[in-house]
Amino acid sequence: MSKWCFISTRKSLIEKRNITGAKCHYLCQQISATMSIQTQIDQFEQKIGSDITIEPKDWMPDDYRKTLIRQISQHAHSEIVGMLPEGNWITRAPSLRRKAVLLAKVQDEAGHGLYLYSAAETLGVSRDQLYDQLHSGVAKYSSIFNYPTLTWADIGAIGWLVDGAAIMNQVPLCRTSYGPYARAMVRVCKEESFHQRQGYEIMLTLSKGSDIQRKMAQDALNRWWWPSLMMFGPPDAESPNTEKSVRWKIKRFTNDELRQKFVDVTVEQAKILGLTVPDKDLQWNEETGHYEFGTPNWAEFKNVVAGNGPCNKQRLETRKQAWEKGQWVRDAAMAHAEKRKNRKKAA
Ligand SMILES: [Fe+2]
Ligand SMILES: [Fe+2]
């Protein structure tokens, strides 16, 4: 056996340690593998540090990939499940204009789900796997969609507060470190801004309307305010993934920072509507330049996330049924694609 290692030609290693060429060959393989992983980590960290996006074919740490798959798929599921509370009001919208607007908005949410599932697929997970995780209850989606829409004012409150919170969360994601996610978010955010405005317009119309309409608007704000604050996730101290996500620039702001921004902006909008934010602890702090606000009911949040919210079972059942009833459409599309392929081959 040669006294020279095939990998690094480290003759000295063989001589110094008095080992065989084969053993040296093995050791050098280990060293060069470690070195190349270290080089890949360095390159990855360098890109993150210089705000260069990570692309699907780039090397990335397993944890980064896992965190992204979890976040993007949760986001996609939220868009799709989020269609249900509002879809419930399409047939009952108070005018043709409102119906057309709501229909367009709900359709946008389906599109958001599809961009996001596509972005998640670039990380090596299949669409079927993602749906399976949703239907089996393994994957989560935003807890807010487990609350019922009781009146038309709820459609206004959802657009104003829920889409408003989504914008707060999603605008920074246009600069997230994973390229396909960041690019999907650019279009999503443009549409979310239309969603927020249509909701605010409904609230404005109701709050300037009759006594009953004003009461409806206030009642919707009372029911949707706290769940909207919960949309930003648990407090930073109880959010184990936040620190890593911020370091990898997946998240640009922490849950608490985004929640504060949302409160600061939305309280001012509530004043224009002449509605009262249902928080007795809410007060402006001159020194910090921010609103101080009460603590959301985190026990309720945990309970809803655990599957025990008012509509969890109903939402999941509706999604499962839609999947099962759509099987023939997927089969027909596959059969059509196969026929076209064969026709092309035969031509
Ligand atoms: Fe959306
Ligand atoms: Fe939206």
Side-chain angles (χ1 to χ4, degrees), residues 79 86 105 108-109 112 145 158-159 162-164 166-167 170 188 191-196:
E79 300 283 356
E86 289 176 293
K105 194 242 183 205
D108 281 354
E109 307 298 8
H112 298 174
F145 300 119
I158 289 181
V162 178
D163 291 89
I167 293 172
Q170 293 171 8
V188 169
E191 292 174 350
E192 291 302 351
S193 130
F194 146 66
H195 299 171
Q196 195 270 353

Side-chain angles (χ1 to χ4, degrees), residues 223-237:
R223 284 181 290 107
W224 290 93
W225 175 255
W226 291 107
S228 300
L229 294 197
M230 294 175 197
M231 276 180 76
F232 297 95
D236 292 349

Side-chain angles (χ1 to χ4, degrees), residues 207-339:
S207 61
K208 282 185 180 164
S210 65
D211 270 1
I212 292 179
Q213 286 173 317
R214 259 196 307 281
K215 272 185 195 150
M216 262 173 70
Q218 182 63 56
D219 169 61
L221 170 58
N222 293 349
R223 284 181 290 107
W224 290 93
W225 175 255
W226 291 107
S228 300
L229 294 197
M230 294 175 197
M231 276 180 76
F232 297 95
D236 292 349
E238 289 167 35
S239 175
N241 301 313
T242 289
E243 188 261 322
K244 212 185 314 177
S245 288
V246 169
R247 187 161 52 80
W248 280 333
K249 295 185 180 168
I250 295 175
K251 273 178 148 182
R252 294 281 178 160
F253 298 98
T254 69
N255 298 353
D256 288 338
E257 285 168 345
L258 290 167
R259 199 172 356 257
Q260 181 69 59
K261 271 187 179 204
F262 176 76
V263 171
D264 288 345
V265 169
T266 315
V267 170
E268 294 303 317
Q269 294 170 345
K271 279 186 195 167
I272 297 169
L273 296 174
L275 299 178
T276 310
V277 172
D279 180 355
K280 60 179 174 30
D281 296 321
L282 187 73
Q283 58 173 4
W284 177 250
N285 184 323
E286 200 66 55
E287 246 171 66
T288 60
H290 293 291
Y291 276 100
E292 285 170 6
F293 54 98
T295 309
N297 183 345
W298 293 119
E300 175 186 318
F301 172 75
K302 281 180 193 156
N303 198 33
V304 176
V305 170
N308 305 316
C311 300
N312 291 58
K313 287 182 184 69
Q314 187 188 330
R315 301 284 184 245
L316 215 52
E317 203 39 53
T318 309
R319 283 310 314 158
K320 274 195 257 183
Q321 272 185 27
W323 178 250
E324 281 157 20
K325 284 184 185 162
Q327 185 62 50
W328 71 271
V329 180
R330 294 190 296 279
D331 290 346
M334 293 303 283
H336 181 63
E338 189 64 25
K339 267 189 196 171

